[in-house]
Amino acid sequence: MQELLNIFKALSDETRLRILKIAGIGEICVCDLVSVLDMSQPKISFHLNALKAAGILKDRKQGKWVHYSINDSDMFRRFLVLSVLERIPDEAVKKNLSRLKEVMNIKNKTRCCER
């Protein structure tokens, strides 16, 4: 029962839902989320840790950078996350998705925190 509570608590925050919507596009670095969501790195890390602790996200460290993606190893969590993402309208995160494109274009040119 505690596992379910942790999952639903992790999904009960707007910032974490925005992070999931962005991670639903593909692997994302913490530095990108800081730019896209216009939040401090400690706040972003707090939300990422909550999603990771609930088993919703997984991480991969490369040098000094940590990249996050949706954890698809558990079918229940994967189905739940996909269902949640489906219900978040793109319009609700339009500004974030637009900023993500800008950040990724700059990143591709500067080769920042390469994958």
Side-chain angles (χ1 to χ4, degrees):
M1 180 96 110
Q2 188 61 45
E3 181 181 10
L4 283 174
L5 288 172
N6 290 340
I7 291 168
F8 285 105
K9 282 180 186 178
L11 294 173
S12 69
D13 181 87
E14 182 180 348
T15 299
R16 291 194 279 269
L17 292 176
R18 288 180 185 280
I19 289 170
L20 280 179
K21 189 72 171 181
I22 293 165
I25 295 170
E27 187 178 64
I28 187 98
C29 180
V30 174
C31 64
D32 297 332
L33 287 169
V34 167
S35 296
V36 169
L37 297 174
D38 194 27
M39 295 175 74
S40 69
Q41 183 272 324
K43 280 188 177 184
I44 295 291
S45 291
F46 171 81
H47 291 294
L48 290 168
N49 285 332
L51 291 166
K52 185 180 170 198
I56 296 170
L57 289 182
K58 61 183 176 180
D59 65 349
R60 176 182 67 82
K61 190 165 180 159
Q62 181 175 343
K64 65 179 182 175
W65 305 106
V66 181
H67 301 270
Y68 288 85
S69 59
I70 293 176
N71 185 358
D72 57 4
S73 64
D74 179 277
M75 287 304 291
F76 169 73
R77 282 182 180 85
R78 180 69 176 154
F79 179 75
L80 183 61
V81 168
L82 288 174
S83 297
V84 167
L85 292 179
E86 183 178 278
R87 292 198 175 22
I88 299 172
D90 286 343
E91 194 62 35
V93 291
K94 184 178 181 179
K95 180 180 170 186
N96 300 126
L97 296 176
S98 175
R99 180 68 183 135
L100 177 63
K101 284 182 185 178
E102 293 172 17
V103 167
M104 297 314 280
N105 284 335
I106 292 167
K107 186 177 187 172
N108 288 334
K109 290 176 185 174
T110 63
R111 305 178 72 83
C112 165
C113 61
E114 290 184 336
R115 294 182 184 160

